Amino acid sequence: MPVEFLGIAATNDGSETTPRSGAAFDKEYTLRLARAHEDHGWDRVLFAYGSGSPDPAPAAAYIASRLDRLQILLAHRPNVSYPTFAAKTFATLDRISEGRLTVHFITGGNDHEQGREGDILGKDERYARTREYIRIVKKIWTTHEPFDHEGEHYRFHDFVSDVFPVQQPRPDVSFGGSSPAAYAAGGAEADIYCLWGEPLEKTAEQIENVKAAAKGAGRTDVPRIQVAFRPIIAPTEELAWEKAHRTVGAIKARKEKGESITKRHNGLAQPQNAGSQRLIAIAEEGERYDRALWTPTAAATGGAGNSNALVGTPETVAQALLDYYDLGVDILSARGYDLLGDAIDFGRYVIPIVREEVAKRDAERAARGTQDLTAVTG
C-alpha cells in the first residue's frame, strides 16, 4: 500500500526547545516552511489549532494559493463554528487548493483549553457533538437539495450550500484519540484515524480497537491509520543520541526558566486526555522501546501532543517507521524540534529510504499474489 508523510505547517519558528523569534503568524516563515516540505518529498502538512493561535483556515488558504502539490490537513474544533458555516469554509478551501484538503476534527481533551473559547460541555458530550458535526458536514458537502436537521446539538432548516468541494464525493475526514469514546466516534466517522507514537505492541492494540469500533458502527471498511513521532536524526548513532539528550536538556532548561513550552495542558499537573496519559505511563515504564522509540521527550513535556521521539541515523529511523508500516500504518507524521532544518533533513535522508523499502514490499506482495493465483488456476 502507498505510504504518505505528514509534516507541520507552523506559522512561526518556535518549538519546545526554542522560543519563537517573531510574530505568532510570520507569513514569510510559514511559506518557507511549507515550501521546504513540498520540495523535499512530503505529501501534506498539518495546520494545527489552538485557542489563542492564528486561525489555521486562512493560513492554509495562503499556502494553498502559493504551492502546487503540497496537500493540507486542516485542524478544526467543532465548538468554534456552526457546521453549516464550517462546511462552506472547507469546501471553499478545497476549491482554492484544487482538491488538496483533508479536515482533522478535534473533540478536545482538556476542559480548560476548551473553556477558553466558551465550550462548557464535558468530554463525552463533546464526542457526541463531534459525531453529529462530522455527519452534518459530510451531508452538506454531498447534498444539492435543501434539508433540515434536528439533532442533539444542532438544528437548522432548509439549508443547502452553493459551494462544493473539488474532491468527489468529498474530502477525507481525519480524527484522533485514545479513549473508548474516541475509538467509537472515529471508528464510525473517520477516513483517517490518528495516533501518537507508542511502542509497536501498544500501537497494534490501538489499531485493533479502531478496527473493532468501525465494525461495531456497521462499516465494511476501516480508517487508514496515521502515527506521529518526533524524529531526532544525525549521521551516526552516537551523534543522534547526543542530539537527543541536548533536545531534552533544552526543553527542561526552558521549563526551569518559567517559559511556556506548550499550551496543551495549561499548567495542569496531569493531562486530562487519554492520549497524553498513555504517553506519560509509557515513559514511566521505560525510556527506550523497540528499534528507536525514546520517551524522555514526552516525559519532559508532560505527554503534550506528539512527543515521543525516534532517535538514530536516517537508516535506523527509516527502519523504525517501516516497523509501523508493517503493522498497517500508511500515514507517517513527523515533526522535528528545528522545524525548518529537520523538515529538510528528514525529507532528504529518511523519506527516500522508507519509500524505496515500501515499494520493495509492495512488489514482493504483488509477486506473491500472482504466484498464488497461478497456483490456484493452474
Side-chain angles (χ1 to χ4, degrees):
M1 61 184 174
V3 64
E4 297 181 8
F5 288 90
L6 169 70
I8 190 70
T11 58
N12 59 71
D13 62 357
S15 76
E16 295 93 331
T17 59
T18 309
R20 74 178 190 229
S21 62
F25 181 54
D26 181 334
K27 187 169 69 172
E28 288 72 24
Y29 181 84
T30 302
L31 179 57
R32 187 182 177 194
L33 180 61
R35 182 169 284 130
H37 282 85
E38 182 170 87
D39 291 345
H40 291 88
W42 298 78
D43 296 286
R44 60 168 58 87
V45 288
L46 166 67
F47 284 84
Y49 190 92
S51 60
S53 302
D55 187 345
Y62 169 68
I63 294 304
S65 66
R66 284 159 176 80
L67 300 181
D68 298 324
R69 300 184 306 278
L70 193 66
Q71 298 175 54
I72 292 163
L73 178 59
L74 179 70
H76 180 76
R77 286 183 184 167
N79 61 290
V80 301
S81 68
Y82 216 70
T84 50
F85 176 84
K88 294 184 296 180
T89 299
F90 304 147
T92 303
L93 182 52
D94 199 54
R95 287 278 158 187
I96 292 171
S97 67
E98 298 181 332
R100 287 179 281 151
L101 177 70
T102 298
V103 182
H104 180 67
F105 290 92
I106 302 173
T107 298
N110 183 284
D111 293 342
H112 183 84
E113 168 69 2
Q114 295 298 121
R116 284 172 160 165
E117 294 188 282
D119 189 5
I120 60 173
L121 293 184
K123 188 175 180 180
D124 288 344
E125 291 178 290
R126 292 200 297 267
Y127 275 112
R129 179 182 61 191
T130 300
R131 291 183 71 167
E132 183 178 347
Y133 196 99
I134 292 173
R135 289 170 180 167
I136 292 169
V137 168
K138 287 179 179 178
K139 188 170 183 178
I140 291 171
W141 281 342
T142 56
T143 302
H144 292 259
E145 298 295 331
F147 68 95
D148 300 340
H149 179 82
E150 293 280 347
E152 181 180 357
H153 297 280
Y154 302 102
R155 296 181 181 181
F156 55 85
H157 304 284
D158 198 38
F159 181 82
V160 63
S161 178
D162 194 34
V163 56
F164 292 89
V166 170
Q167 298 177 77
Q168 293 298 315
R170 58 172 177 79
D172 280 345
V173 165
S174 171
F175 189 92
S178 297
S179 67
Y183 298 140
E189 299 298 335
D191 302 295
I192 298 168
Y193 201 99
C194 307
L195 302 170
W196 289 331
E198 296 186 2
L200 290 165
E201 182 180 0
K202 292 184 179 296
T203 299
E205 292 171 357
Q206 291 217 72
I207 291 172
E208 290 306 312
N209 288 334
V210 174
K211 289 180 178 179
K215 183 178 180 180
R219 293 177 61 170
T220 57
D221 64 335
V222 295
R224 298 172 64 195
I225 301 296
Q226 172 185 306
V227 177
F229 303 95
R230 305 299 292 271
I232 301 176
I233 62 172
T236 68
E237 295 292 329
E238 182 180 7
L239 290 173
W241 285 104
E242 289 177 2
K243 182 178 178 181
H245 288 289
R246 287 199 307 272
T247 298
V248 170
I251 295 171
K252 291 180 177 178
R254 290 194 65 200
K255 290 177 66 176
E256 289 170 0
K257 293 178 183 177
E259 297 179 16
S260 176
I261 60 168
T262 175
K263 297 180 180 179
R264 182 174 293 271
H265 297 149
N266 311 292
L268 297 177
Q270 291 293 328
Q272 294 178 321
N273 61 306
S276 293
Q277 291 170 3
R278 288 174 65 97
L279 294 186
I280 291 173
I282 290 166
E284 290 174 346
E285 292 171 6
E287 289 193 357
R288 296 179 66 169
Y289 292 85
D290 305 320
R291 194 186 299 267
L293 191 73
W294 195 55
T295 65
T297 47
T301 60
N306 171 22
S307 51
N308 268 341
L310 292 177
V311 182
T313 63
E315 293 78 10
T316 296
V317 171
Q319 291 301 323
L321 291 169
L322 287 162
D323 291 338
Y324 288 89
Y325 175 82
D326 291 338
L327 288 181
V329 177
D330 67 339
I331 303 176
L332 300 168
S333 174
R335 171 166 57 100
Y337 290 93
D338 171 9
L339 298 179
L340 181 60
D342 288 343
I344 293 171
D345 286 346
F346 189 88
R348 281 177 175 167
Y349 304 119
V350 178
I351 289 178
I353 298 174
V354 176
R355 291 200 191 280
E356 182 179 357
E357 290 299 320
V358 166
K360 289 180 182 178
R361 282 164 163 76
D362 289 348
E364 292 169 357
R365 188 178 297 113
R368 287 196 300 271
T370 301
Q371 292 172 354
D372 293 343
L373 181 62
T374 301
V376 170
T377 59

